[in-house]
Amino acid sequence: MRLYRTSGGAFVEADQVFYPVTATNWDELLTSPELQQRAKAATQSAGGASLDGLTVLAPVESQEVWASGVTYYRSRSARMEESKDAGGGDFYDRVYYAERPELFFKSAGKRVVGSGSPVRIRRDATWSVPEPELVMLLTPKGEIAGYTIGNDMSSRDIEGQNPLYLPQAKNYDGACALGPCILLATEPITKSTGISITILRGGQALFTGETSIAEMKRELKELAGYLFRECSFPDGVFLMTGTGVVPPDNFTLASGDRIRITIDGIGTLENHVA
């Protein structure tokens, strides 16, 4: 089942049919201990619904979005390369092999954009890339409730100047996109699940790449466990799980580029660069 947040309320999709889900608001629905049961019950109603005329919104309201870094070997290599001149290259090698993962705050819910909305590159950045990521929805108890697709927009030149500049490279208006829906699930997603990205410029594919969850070094429940060690999230939280696809070092995004990220079983998140 896939859960959508729209301008007309919440809908669940099963077997390509949409059903409205009764909820006081999105926060109330996501934090409900009966989320799975409520969604399933909605699919038992007679007939289906249409999303025609409705806008599909980012599946987030009051939830924070956090991110995991250097969870794939490709990410480790890219971070080491971008920061080597600043003397910070070995930091990323150390965190890749360390017991403690890298976790950082990515975005407040109000800054997140959904599929079809624009993402941004910083005006003071010269090297910007999208990062396609599997994102977990975690309950207030730290349990997996579902998955969505994330685009962790990053300013690689700023991050590479100094690892302490990470918040500026990662957290700004238009730097986080989620959607188009939440795949409801309570267990870790299948490791064979594929993640792919296509970046188009002028209608032509400029970069394509793919990976799978199997390439991730850390377990999903491990990342969730560390996030909840000393933090509480009464509205639940979204946790991006890192990227295994990074464009080559001579690539940077430009205004007008289109970014398509697809994850098996979830769908496609598409944004254009403002």
Side-chain angles (χ1 to χ4, degrees):
M1 295 182 295
R2 298 175 184 86
L3 185 66
Y4 289 80
R5 175 175 173 251
T6 80
S7 56
F11 290 82
V12 63
E13 181 264 324
D15 299 324
Q16 300 182 331
V17 179
F18 291 92
Y19 304 88
V21 181
T22 302
T24 304
N25 53 52
W26 188 252
D27 287 346
E28 182 272 324
L29 181 61
L30 288 199
T31 57
S32 171
E34 292 81 34
L35 172 59
Q36 306 284 337
Q37 296 92 320
R38 289 169 64 177
K40 185 175 182 179
T43 66
Q44 307 304 312
S45 60
S50 172
L51 300 189
D52 291 346
L54 300 179
T55 301
V56 176
L57 307 172
V60 57
E61 196 163 83
S62 298
Q63 295 73 36
E64 296 177 359
V65 181
W66 283 66
S68 314
V70 200
T71 56
Y72 291 81
Y73 192 83
R74 177 67 182 97
S75 179
R76 163 200 171 273
S77 301
R79 299 297 172 262
M80 290 179 67
E81 178 65 24
E82 73 186 18
S83 61
K84 64 181 182 180
D85 292 339
D90 66 331
F91 292 170
Y92 297 102
D93 185 54
R94 292 181 187 181
V95 78
Y96 181 78
Y97 292 105
E99 177 181 352
R100 181 184 296 274
E102 179 193 15
L103 298 175
F104 57 91
F105 179 75
K106 175 63 182 179
S107 180
K110 64 182 179 182
R111 285 202 180 100
V112 179
V113 301
S115 190
S117 296
V119 291
R120 295 182 59 254
I121 51 180
R122 287 185 62 114
R123 290 189 294 271
D124 56 355
T126 59
W127 185 12
S128 299
V129 298
E131 296 187 2
E133 307 194 18
L134 175 73
V135 184
M136 293 186 285
L137 168 63
L138 301 173
T139 71
K141 293 183 177 181
E143 300 167 340
I144 297 173
Y147 305 92
T148 188
I149 305 171
N151 180 356
D152 174 17
M153 294 283 287
S154 300
S155 304
R156 291 190 63 186
D157 58 317
I158 294 176
E159 182 180 3
Q161 290 171 19
N162 191 312
L164 296 180
Y165 294 161
L166 178 70
Q168 296 176 75
K170 294 281 192 177
N171 191 339
Y172 58 89
D173 290 344
C176 182
L178 296 181
C181 61
I182 296 171
L183 174 65
L184 295 176
T186 57
E187 294 297 326
I189 200 165
T190 305
K191 286 186 177 292
S192 61
T193 299
I195 302 174
S196 63
I197 182 172
T198 299
I199 303 173
L200 300 103
R201 183 171 295 169
Q204 302 296 315
L206 197 63
F207 171 79
T208 60
E210 59 183 18
T211 188
S212 72
I213 306 303
E215 298 299 317
M216 188 184 300
K217 183 177 187 292
R218 300 188 184 268
E219 296 295 326
L220 298 180
K221 289 187 176 181
E222 171 193 358
L223 295 173
Y226 269 95
L227 180 61
F228 274 76
R229 279 193 173 190
E230 295 293 341
C231 288
S232 57
F233 301 96
D235 296 312
V237 63
F238 287 91
L239 178 58
M240 308 180 96
T241 60
T243 188
V245 183
V246 182
D249 293 350
N250 62 356
F251 174 86
T252 187
L253 286 168
S255 178
D257 288 353
R258 301 197 74 85
I259 305 162
R260 293 175 182 162
I261 302 171
T262 299
I263 297 183
D264 296 344
I266 302 177
T268 298
L269 170 67
E270 181 168 348
N271 303 94
H272 64 278
V273 180

